[in-house]
Amino acid sequence: MSKGFITLGIDTEEDKIKYCYALALSIKQSDPAQQVCLVVDKDKMELVPEKYKHTFDYLIELPFGNTAHKDGFHGMNLWQMLHCTPFEETIYVDSDTILKNIDTQLLWDTFSNYDIAISPMARTYRNYVTDKTWKFEIELHYKLPCLYNNLIYFKRDAPMALEWFKMADPVFQNWRQVYQHLFNEKKPPTFNKNLLGNIVTHLCDLEDNISCPINNLYDFENKSQGHWGEDIPDNWTDMLNYWYTNQHKLMIENSVVNSGIIHYQDENFINKDIIDAIRDSVTTTQQKQKTTS
Amino acid sequence: MAEESKGVCIIAYNNNQLDYISFASLCAVYVKLHMKTNNVALITDTGTAEWMETSVPKNIQEACFDQMIIQDVQHESNPRKHLDSPWTEFKAQFSNKNKNNVFRISPYDKTLLIDSDYFIMNDFYDYIFDTDISLGLHRDAVYLQGQPPYLNEIQLNEGGIHHWWSTAVYFNKNQTEAEIFFDIWSHVKDNWDYYALLYQFAPALFRTDFCVSIACHMLNGLNNDSFVHDFNGVPLLNMDQKDDVVEVKDLQDWILLSHDRKEPWKNVLTRLEKTNLHVMNKRAISRHKDSLWKHIGKVLNV
């Protein structure tokens, strides 16, 4: 069965695809044999910078066009992933994520018994289990599933995966109406892809079937990190010191993240130095493999 | 291979406010009565030992300690604010800077180092002497009614590393990991200001809890992993300095007052039976010393 990672990259005025590029490089750094597919806006293939293309095995356009072209919430296109993936088994990853020293085979093995799988747990940069009270405030209030939808595994032809993505189509495209119907008390302030993913899971009644704990999934959303106060900046890079070395080592304050799927969520984190460091380590890994073979 | 020696070490240095040797004697008897591995070594200095000669009868000394190790160290000034209930506070010297030397001076291969205010009321720690574990400390703690520790007892600062407790430290001298742990502890002590800056905690009071937290953090791969044994996740039970002892009904049956943190004039009576207890209010121990010895006398005939 063909397997690979897929991510969604839609450029606006600024280069957003660099985050997909960093993600793809990091996947190749973990395992150069892994396939990566970048999904872009329809008829906007030329927006992918030439220098990034070598990292992607597939460049695919959104089959139904960018359904978020009015709102600008590009996560609205998540429902199209099943319809455009070139792989029989796919891991969808948010573009603001990097993989670091992951055993990809173990990851595929973990998912192998599921038709569609999403993790109900994530860790902080200090390796604690995240505090869900802020990120999942709405879900907890309405007793919805609390899953981390930045990483979704699915088998393209599995009925359960088809069901989930079929439900995702109207929910993601009509999120305002969905909010209106479901939320009478607390209301989320704006489009929230993670919340909508959990609504889809709830509407399909699939939480028990698709919950698959991934122990090395990290979520750096600042208010979920177990800091003492709530009066803290939204971006963790405004608050915490961090270093990313050429040896592919990420250190935040006094804690090291040695290995994991890191949903950093803060675009200030990825800069040219980090991209260069990941690219250099990919090149080194590939050279090592050539030498060995 | 010769069988490894096993025992408990207690460190006690008196100051002009607190009679640590009397606390250590009580804690030693508690070890003797409630643990199977109950050799106890006292680590102290000449002044404290001389005070013990005059204040503690010989037969009680012999009942408490199997060995006494005199280590005269220069106690650097380390004043600590103590509380006795929410309403009384006093300052006393906190002589804890040579605690890391226990690795070198403990007479046992396998040692459980306990603070002189830690009352062992059951045999919980016995299991560890029959294992190959190199190092063990409490990762978490709770207070009398199950209240969580204060924030700076959970992590060293807002974004900081996890706080570990040096109240009970188990180590096996024959294992390298334990030696590395005490080397790090010593290094942190010698470079206290630097580590206070690096790990962002207030340097004013030297705290061994912070030293062991840094050492555990390093041994756990700088990412809160589980290399250091945490006594199977069992938390340390603390009696706050603002709490009090009401009555010692029996050696393993204490009645305490647990204060309310938000409204400290409110107290809840709490009864503990056969539970190890870290009595942080030292003056409360002093107040109940006679009662404790009375109960001990009935059992030990001393």
Side-chain angles (χ1 to χ4, degrees):
Chain A
M1 290 240 277
S2 61
K3 292 176 181 172
F5 292 82
I6 196 168
T7 189
L8 180 61
I10 295 178
D11 259 345
T12 48
E13 287 97 41
E14 53 179 317
D15 178 9
K16 293 273 184 186
I17 291 179
K18 73 178 178 194
Y19 303 107
C20 304
Y21 178 56
L23 167 65
L25 283 171
S26 73
I27 293 169
K28 299 284 183 184
Q29 192 274 333
S30 285
D31 181 359
Q34 292 300 312
Q35 305 261 295
V36 185
C37 171
L38 173 67
V39 182
V40 297
D41 199 353
K42 202 169 187 182
D43 303 325
K44 298 281 173 64
M45 196 74 88
E46 74 282 359
L47 287 178
V48 181
E50 205 58 38
K51 62 182 179 183
Y52 294 164
K53 284 185 177 168
H54 68 97
T55 318
F56 300 104
D57 300 282
Y58 295 87
L59 286 171
I60 290 175
E61 293 182 351
L62 282 167
F64 303 100
N66 179 8
T67 51
H69 68 279
K70 281 184 192 161
D71 283 349
F73 299 117
H74 303 306
M76 271 174 74
N77 294 296
L78 178 70
W79 66 276
Q80 299 192 48
M81 295 301 102
L82 179 117
H83 305 290
C84 63
T85 178
F87 312 114
E88 287 160 287
E89 284 185 63
T90 304
I91 296 176
Y92 162 81
V93 196
D94 272 1
S95 58
D96 52 355
T97 305
I98 53 170
L99 272 65
K100 220 168 89 53
N101 303 323
I102 285 289
D103 181 343
T104 49
Q105 190 52 50
L106 186 65
L107 186 65
W108 288 111
D109 288 348
T110 306
F111 287 134
S112 61
N113 290 328
Y114 292 81
D115 287 346
I116 172 168
I118 307 172
S119 180
M121 69 165 288
R123 292 186 174 275
T124 69
Y125 71 93
R126 286 180 286 188
N127 210 19
Y128 297 118
V129 173
T130 49
D131 173 6
K132 286 189 170 181
T133 48
W134 192 85
K135 186 177 177 111
F136 295 97
E137 187 186 3
I138 301 291
E139 284 94 330
L140 291 168
H141 184 81
Y142 293 102
K143 296 187 171 62
L144 298 172
C146 296
L147 307 180
Y148 290 85
N149 294 290
N150 63 301
L151 186 85
I152 304 174
Y153 164 87
F154 58 90
K155 289 189 177 84
R156 189 176 55 195
D157 302 320
M160 205 180 285
L162 283 166
E163 184 187 347
W164 196 92
F165 280 95
K166 203 169 180 179
M167 181 64 82
D169 173 354
V171 169
F172 276 77
Q173 292 204 65
N174 305 287
W175 59 272
R176 286 189 176 84
Q177 288 92 322
V178 171
Y179 280 7
Q180 210 171 355
H181 281 287
L182 286 181
F183 304 139
N184 303 319
E185 297 153 14
K186 262 180 202 274
K187 286 185 197 293
T190 184
F191 175 84
N192 181 332
K193 182 169 71 64
N194 203 62
L195 170 62
L196 289 164
N198 286 325
I199 291 172
V200 171
T201 303
H202 171 70
L203 295 176
C204 296
D205 194 19
L206 285 176
E207 183 180 3
D208 293 343
N209 305 70
I210 72 176
S211 286
C212 173
I214 300 297
N215 199 33
N216 57 355
L217 175 64
Y218 288 84
D219 186 284
F220 285 178
E221 196 286 309
N222 206 25
K223 288 186 177 162
S224 307
Q225 302 302 303
H227 298 310
W228 291 343
E230 286 194 355
D231 186 19
I232 54 174
D234 287 340
N235 291 331
W236 61 269
T237 56
D238 291 339
M239 176 175 163
L240 304 171
N241 295 301
Y242 66 97
W243 299 265
Y244 197 100
T245 69
N246 288 339
Q247 284 77 42
H248 213 50
K249 177 177 164 185
L250 173 61
M251 185 153 196
I252 300 175
E253 294 290 307
N254 297 111
S255 298
V256 168
V257 182
N258 289 313
S259 156
I261 301 160
I262 300 165
H263 188 208
Y264 53 86
Q265 301 180 66
D266 179 349
E267 291 185 348
N268 300 320
F269 169 64
I270 289 290
N271 55 31
K272 186 178 175 302
D273 289 345
I274 291 181
I275 291 177
D276 287 349
I278 304 174
R279 191 177 49 235
D280 289 349
S281 63
V282 174
T283 314
T284 313
T285 312
Q286 285 171 338
Q287 280 170 346
K288 273 184 195 163
Q289 286 203 334
K290 273 182 193 164
T291 315
T292 316
S293 61
Chain B
M1 193 177 156
E3 198 179 333
E4 291 172 311
S5 55
K6 302 167 185 176
V8 176
C9 278
I10 303 175
I11 301 176
Y13 297 116
N14 273 15
N15 59 44
N16 57 7
Q17 293 277 347
L18 296 165
D19 186 7
Y20 277 97
I21 198 69
S22 68
F23 310 151
S25 305
L26 286 166
C27 287
V29 174
Y30 266 76
V31 169
K32 292 276 177 203
L33 291 173
H34 302 129
M35 284 180 68
K36 291 180 194 78
T37 305
N38 58 12
N39 296 312
V40 182
L42 170 71
I43 299 169
T44 188
D45 57 13
T46 310
T48 309
E50 283 172 358
W51 171 247
M52 183 165 76
E53 290 301 322
T54 57
S55 64
V56 182
K58 198 74 187 167
N59 62 331
I60 291 181
Q61 286 181 39
E62 284 167 2
C64 296
F65 304 111
D66 299 283
Q67 295 179 62
M68 191 179 355
I69 299 155
I70 307 282
Q71 200 193 37
D72 285 318
V73 286
Q74 188 67 41
H75 296 301
E76 293 168 39
S77 170
N78 191 32
R80 181 182 196 178
K81 187 179 86 174
H82 289 262
L83 292 162
D84 175 17
S85 82
W87 319 113
T88 308
E89 69 176 59
F90 61 99
K91 273 193 175 174
Q93 162 70 9
F94 192 27
S95 300
N96 57 351
K97 288 201 178 171
N98 76 327
K99 201 169 170 182
N100 58 297
N101 291 346
V102 69
F103 182 78
R104 202 164 37 80
I105 57 186
S106 167
Y108 311 116
D109 295 312
K110 292 181 169 183
T111 305
L112 178 69
L113 169 70
I114 60 167
D115 280 0
S116 56
D117 54 2
Y118 191 37
F119 286 77
I120 302 287
M121 303 199 205
N122 58 42
D123 62 356
F124 168 72
Y125 292 104
D126 273 316
Y127 81 95
I128 201 162
F129 290 96
D130 297 324
T131 66
D132 291 329
I133 291 166
S134 54
L135 186 66
L137 294 91
H138 284 284
R139 187 192 282 264
D140 296 305
V142 289
Y143 283 84
L144 290 177
Q145 294 176 78
Q147 303 100 316
Y150 296 96
L151 289 173
N152 68 346
E153 294 172 342
I154 299 172
Q155 52 200 47
L156 268 55
N157 68 62
E158 180 160 19
I161 62 169
H162 192 84
H163 179 285
W164 289 68
W165 294 85
S166 65
T167 309
V169 181
Y170 169 83
F171 59 90
N172 183 339
K173 271 190 182 189
N174 300 325
Q175 299 207 22
T176 315
E177 296 88 340
E179 190 175 359
I180 293 170
F181 172 81
F182 282 97
D183 282 349
I184 297 172
W185 184 341
S186 168
H187 178 73
V188 173
K189 183 186 77 176
D190 294 342
N191 299 279
W192 182 247
D193 288 335
Y194 168 75
Y195 280 96
L197 185 65
L198 185 63
Y199 285 89
Q200 293 290 299
F201 55 80
L205 178 71
F206 177 78
R207 289 196 57 188
T208 54
D209 290 334
F210 289 1
C211 293
V212 300
S213 300
I214 293 168
C216 288
H217 177 65
M218 290 182 179
L219 286 173
N220 281 334
L222 304 177
N223 67 358
N224 200 26
D225 218 327
S226 54
F227 177 80
V228 177
H229 178 74
D230 64 356
F231 295 123
N232 297 322
V234 173
L236 179 72
L237 181 65
N238 285 334
M239 175 194 147
D240 201 322
Q241 291 191 351
K242 292 179 182 175
D243 298 334
D244 206 347
V245 179
V246 177
E247 186 188 351
V248 179
K249 288 181 78 70
D250 194 5
L251 284 174
Q252 295 164 290
D253 185 359
W254 292 33
I255 295 179
L256 306 123
L257 271 188
S258 172
H259 82 289
D260 187 314
R261 287 182 192 172
K262 286 185 182 152
E263 298 174 292
W265 54 92
K266 289 183 181 170
N267 292 282
V268 174
L269 274 175
T270 310
R271 186 170 180 176
L272 288 181
E273 288 179 276
K274 296 183 182 175
T275 309
N276 298 333
L277 182 64
H278 184 204
V279 185
M280 294 163 112
N281 183 345
K282 312 284 189 296
R283 284 201 172 153
I285 308 174
S286 296
R287 279 193 291 276
H288 292 270
K289 199 169 61 176
D290 293 341
S291 163
L292 283 162
W293 280 117
K294 210 168 121 187
H295 288 296
I296 292 166
K298 285 182 208 162
V299 182
L300 280 187
N301 209 17
V302 287

